Amino acid sequence: MNNETYFSFLNKIKKDKSISYPFILIHGFNEFLGENIIKQLRDNFLEEKSEFNYRRYYFDNENSCTIDDVLNDASSSNFFLQSRKIIILTIRETKKLTFKKDDLATLNEYLKQPNKNTILVIYVSMNVLRDDFKQVKKQKIDKLTKTLEQKNLTIIDLDRMYEKDINNYIKGELKNMGISITASALEKLADLKGDDLPSILGQMPLFEIITKTDNVIDTDDIDQIVTGVSTHSIWDLTEAIEKENIEKYLNVLKYLFINGIKAPFIIGTLITHYNKIFTAKYLLKNNYSNYDIGKILAQPSFILNRFLSSVKYFSDEKLQKILDLIYKIDMEAKTGGEEAVKLSLQNFIFQVKIV
């Protein structure tokens, strides 16, 4: 059995088109990446896509193809005897991951002596939540892989990715577009996306759309790429809080809501912002330089002075009361409805004004 990641497999097939992959199992929550794997297989191993050498089958509630249908196609020679074929079985239902005993025996028999001119792909593509997929993998996919004939099996786990590989891919794709990205922007992207970082691989056109005339992606562009809202709107919000400007705060908040930014994201951003101010106050008291504070708190140079001005504005007492208010709203967000949380955010500026 050969275990591959998304990037390791793509690198291999691009470097050597003579490698044989008789049977490939593709799975992962980030299943959209599977389509690119299939595209790369098609581009690198088929002379020209046709109805003879490229075919898809589906296992779901609406389709009734059988394992025999798939294997008969995989085993047969096409019109062009020496050319390769790609046969794809897409599994869309969880229950279809449990093969009947006879079907599993037939599949394993084929895998012992597969058609050398065929690439047979089982592609797990299901619309489920991340936590649900973890259970599917543990209960169904892992069990299936253990029961398959291992000799000619290649498994591609679309979720087994490393941040370094993702960053290198992003930089490479942007370079092809004539765009560069700063290290701080990549760090911010990882912070915002978290476990969902691989999803950015399907959103590369956004980088080109957002890029300004200098063809450089920096931290202020990342908010807009990830959320669709410019980072300046977040700064406008915090500036309105700092100056206790009720009208401006409510207008910026309304803008964020209209643009689809969810209340929990705004709350999380405020918590992060004021915790950074709290930390910066401590660092200033201990004689850290502005440069060191910016580096420790990942504040890029172009907003560092503005950030430090906010730090000096708040007294320890006022900052603590603001954090208490935000954490209270955060708790309400976890227990109450969306409209109630929006109302709490709107009232937040009035509470700040009286503390």
Side-chain angles (χ1 to χ4, degrees):
M1 181 175 65
N2 183 26
N3 284 295
E4 298 283 354
T5 67
Y6 173 77
F7 291 112
S8 68
F9 187 77
L10 289 185
N11 289 336
K12 281 186 178 180
I13 63 177
K14 288 177 181 178
K15 287 179 180 178
D16 189 353
K17 296 183 181 181
S18 66
I19 298 177
S20 176
Y21 295 102
F23 181 81
I24 301 172
L25 174 63
I26 303 173
H27 69 82
F29 174 75
N30 300 293
E31 53 88 16
F32 72 93
L33 296 172
E35 289 297 335
N36 194 39
I37 292 286
I38 292 170
K39 179 181 182 301
Q40 293 299 326
L41 287 172
R42 189 176 69 228
D43 293 346
N44 285 277
F45 293 107
L46 296 184
E47 297 171 4
E48 186 177 347
K49 177 186 171 184
S50 71
E51 61 181 298
F52 299 104
N53 62 16
Y54 182 85
R55 191 169 290 113
R56 284 182 182 250
Y57 294 87
Y58 297 90
F59 270 9
D60 56 29
N61 289 333
E62 297 178 1
N63 293 276
S64 57
C65 74
T66 66
I67 284 291
D68 286 336
D69 294 331
V70 177
L71 295 183
N72 286 337
D73 197 349
S75 300
S76 64
S77 297
N78 57 40
F79 182 77
F80 303 99
L81 296 179
Q82 298 305 315
S83 66
R84 282 174 167 167
K85 296 173 63 175
I86 296 179
I87 305 299
I88 303 154
L89 172 59
T90 302
I91 299 180
R92 290 175 165 168
E93 300 289 339
T94 302
K95 62 183 180 181
K96 297 292 185 178
L97 284 167
T98 302
F99 284 54
K100 296 178 182 178
K101 185 176 180 179
D102 289 346
D103 287 341
L104 185 61
T106 303
L107 180 58
N108 278 327
E109 193 63 30
Y110 169 82
L111 291 177
K112 291 176 182 177
Q113 290 185 310
N115 184 346
K116 64 181 181 179
N117 293 320
T118 295
I119 299 175
L120 176 58
V121 179
I122 290 185
Y123 174 32
V124 181
S125 175
M126 295 182 293
N127 184 23
V128 295
L129 299 175
R130 187 185 299 277
D131 288 342
D132 292 336
F133 185 82
K134 289 178 181 178
Q135 290 299 314
V136 171
K137 183 179 185 302
K138 182 178 180 180
Q139 298 173 3
K140 299 286 187 177
I141 298 174
D142 289 348
K143 184 177 180 180
L144 174 62
T145 58
K146 290 177 182 178
T147 58
L148 291 173
E149 173 65 37
Q150 304 292 297
K151 181 180 177 182
N152 295 300
L153 176 61
T154 297
I155 298 177
I156 304 174
D157 185 345
L158 301 174
D159 297 333
R160 192 158 60 90
M161 287 189 177
Y162 305 100
E163 186 177 322
K164 179 181 178 181
D165 292 329
I166 296 174
N167 287 347
N168 287 337
Y169 176 85
I170 291 172
K171 287 188 287 187
E173 289 295 300
L174 292 179
K175 185 177 180 180
N176 293 335
M177 300 178 195
I179 302 169
S180 62
I181 184 168
T182 65
S184 57
L186 287 170
E187 289 175 6
K188 184 167 188 179
L189 182 62
D191 287 342
L192 287 177
K193 298 294 285 185
D195 291 340
D196 197 33
L197 182 59
S199 68
I200 203 67
L201 301 181
Q203 299 172 294
M204 294 307 298
L206 288 176
F207 287 85
E208 190 169 20
I209 294 170
I210 296 300
T211 303
K212 302 180 182 68
T213 55
D214 59 1
N215 287 331
V216 176
I217 295 288
D218 210 335
T219 50
D220 59 334
D221 302 306
I222 295 301
D223 284 289
Q224 193 163 0
I225 290 170
V226 173
T227 70
V229 175
S230 169
T231 186
H232 295 295
S233 62
I234 298 296
W235 273 106
D236 288 341
L237 192 71
T238 56
E239 184 179 67
I241 295 170
E242 179 181 321
K243 295 182 178 180
E244 298 182 0
N245 186 331
I246 293 174
E247 183 179 0
K248 181 177 181 180
Y249 174 86
L250 293 176
N251 284 337
V252 175
L253 195 63
K254 181 179 179 181
Y255 165 81
L256 293 171
F257 288 152
I258 289 174
N259 281 275
I261 305 305
K262 299 295 185 182
F265 177 84
I266 299 172
I267 295 167
T269 300
L270 292 175
I271 288 174
T272 300
H273 177 73
Y274 287 108
N275 271 307
K276 283 187 175 183
I277 289 179
F278 194 89
T279 304
K281 289 181 72 66
Y282 171 83
L283 295 174
L284 281 172
K285 289 177 182 178
N286 286 273
N287 300 318
Y288 280 75
S289 69
N290 290 357
Y291 172 80
D292 288 336
I293 292 173
K295 188 174 181 181
I296 291 169
L297 297 178
Q299 296 288 18
S301 58
F302 66 91
I303 62 171
L304 182 58
N305 289 335
R306 187 175 179 180
F307 171 75
L308 290 175
S309 295
S310 296
V311 173
K312 295 172 183 176
Y313 170 80
F314 291 102
S315 66
D316 291 348
E317 183 181 7
K318 189 174 184 70
L319 182 59
Q320 186 59 62
K321 288 181 178 179
I322 286 175
L323 279 168
D324 289 343
L325 287 172
I326 298 171
Y327 279 119
K328 182 180 178 181
I329 296 173
D330 185 46
M331 183 60 67
E332 291 173 358
K334 294 178 171 62
T335 57
E338 184 176 353
E339 291 305 315
V341 178
K342 284 184 177 181
L343 182 60
S344 293
L345 276 172
Q346 290 168 345
N347 290 333
F348 171 67
I349 187 64
F350 297 100
Q351 294 173 302
V352 168
K353 200 168 178 66
I354 62 175
V355 296

